[in-house]
Amino acid sequence: EVAQLCNVSKSTISKFIRSLDFEDYPSFRDAATFEENKYGFSLNYNQNIAEYIEREGMDSYIESIHNDIEECKKSLDMDKVNELANDLIKYKKVASFGLLFSEIAALDLQTKLAYNGKFIITTLNDIKQDQFIHSAKDDTLIIIFSNSGGYMKKYQLSKFQIRKNFSNTKAKIALITSNKEMKDFEEVDLCICFKHTTNVQTHSIIFQLINDYITNRYRQLTRK
């Protein structure tokens, strides 16, 4: 039916789907359907932020953001930010990855560092992220943005929620998260934590602030 509607052959549809990195038509079809909470994120944008604004008002939402920024300013571990900035100098090959809102943070860091002469790798494709991680050598630094830390534990964009395994990567893994328990996660080499003052998920904004800290420290070190 899709081939007929597009006035092309079924083989053309199949080639197009594979060019988007889907394995076959059923996987493409499953991904194409919009479901608000498709991947089981109870703190997704509509349920956590849009409904909060409708219920409590925009002023309350902005106050939550303000409080989280203040908390980040007070509690961010600058020793760990300094370690990551030094790693950006030490490692020639660097990548930053995330999913959904955290993808924005990975792109944000890439752009800010590029302005300062450090070019890092990112991709929005979760399959390519996974391939890069598993093939990375010990000359590589990988920065993961994950508010919950779930990126390290399971394939979040798969309806099967299969467990992830980082044990075969040789890269140094730096995680930026609000989940303080990830400090003890075996496969995380450097963990930079922040926290929410409310249940409102402001991490898309906090991530960018943390990126400013990282980039600023990188600038200072490289100028020295």
Side-chain angles (χ1 to χ4, degrees):
E1 289 176 0
V2 171
Q4 289 176 351
L5 288 167
C6 296
N7 198 29
V8 297
S9 66
K10 287 196 287 185
S11 63
T12 298
I13 293 292
S14 295
K15 289 175 184 175
F16 171 70
I17 287 165
R18 286 196 294 274
S19 76
L20 298 177
D21 287 324
F22 288 98
E23 185 176 349
D24 50 28
Y25 183 79
S27 61
F28 168 78
R29 182 188 58 209
D30 290 345
T33 305
F34 175 76
E35 297 175 27
E36 186 171 297
N37 197 16
K38 187 178 202 173
Y39 303 115
F41 298 131
S42 60
L43 297 176
N44 64 64
Y45 177 80
N46 280 356
Q47 291 182 344
N48 183 257
I49 297 176
E51 290 181 8
Y52 179 90
I53 293 171
E54 291 169 358
R55 185 175 64 253
E56 305 293 338
M58 196 70 186
D59 287 349
S60 178
Y61 174 59
I62 292 173
E63 184 66 22
S64 297
I65 295 170
H66 173 78
N67 290 339
D68 283 352
I69 290 173
E70 285 294 320
E71 183 62 37
C72 180
K73 184 174 70 173
K74 289 187 296 184
S75 63
L76 192 65
D77 190 333
M78 292 306 298
D79 288 339
K80 292 186 176 180
V81 169
N82 192 61
E83 180 180 344
L84 183 54
N86 274 289
D87 284 340
L88 286 168
I89 297 171
K90 174 183 175 182
Y91 288 89
K92 300 301 181 185
K93 196 171 187 179
V94 181
S96 64
F97 297 138
L99 299 173
L100 303 175
F101 275 124
S102 300
E103 290 178 343
I104 301 170
L107 288 166
D108 179 67
L109 182 62
Q110 183 190 49
T111 302
K112 288 171 179 173
L113 288 174
Y115 269 106
N116 292 280
K118 181 69 178 183
F119 300 97
I120 69 173
I121 299 162
T122 193
T123 173
L124 303 186
N125 185 309
D126 60 313
I127 296 172
K128 290 181 179 178
Q129 290 182 19
D130 195 52
Q131 290 170 344
F132 183 95
I133 290 167
H134 287 293
S135 63
K137 306 302 181 186
D138 57 10
D139 63 347
T140 304
L141 168 68
I142 300 175
I143 303 167
I144 304 294
F145 293 88
S146 177
N147 184 50
S148 67
Y151 186 104
M152 300 294 302
K153 298 178 179 179
K154 59 186 178 182
Y155 290 98
Q156 295 173 295
L157 299 189
S158 167
K159 62 183 177 182
F160 301 109
Q161 301 283 287
I162 302 166
R163 176 172 167 73
K164 271 189 180 179
N165 182 5
F166 277 76
S167 61
N168 60 351
T169 187
K170 295 180 180 179
K172 178 172 182 176
I173 303 294
L175 175 66
I176 302 175
T177 181
S178 70
N179 184 352
K180 63 181 180 180
E181 294 178 1
M182 296 303 294
K183 291 179 180 178
D184 301 319
F185 196 72
E186 185 178 0
E187 293 162 339
V188 173
D189 301 300
L190 172 63
C191 189
I192 297 176
C193 282
F194 62 96
K195 67 180 183 180
H196 297 289
T197 58
T198 69
N199 289 328
V200 181
Q201 302 299 291
T202 59
H203 56 279
S204 62
I205 296 165
I206 301 303
F207 278 149
Q208 294 185 52
L209 180 62
I210 293 172
N211 285 344
D212 287 330
Y213 277 108
I214 294 166
T215 305
N216 181 260
R217 188 63 186 133
Y218 175 80
R219 280 169 57 86
Q220 292 172 352
L221 291 171
T222 52
R223 286 177 176 181
K224 284 183 180 180

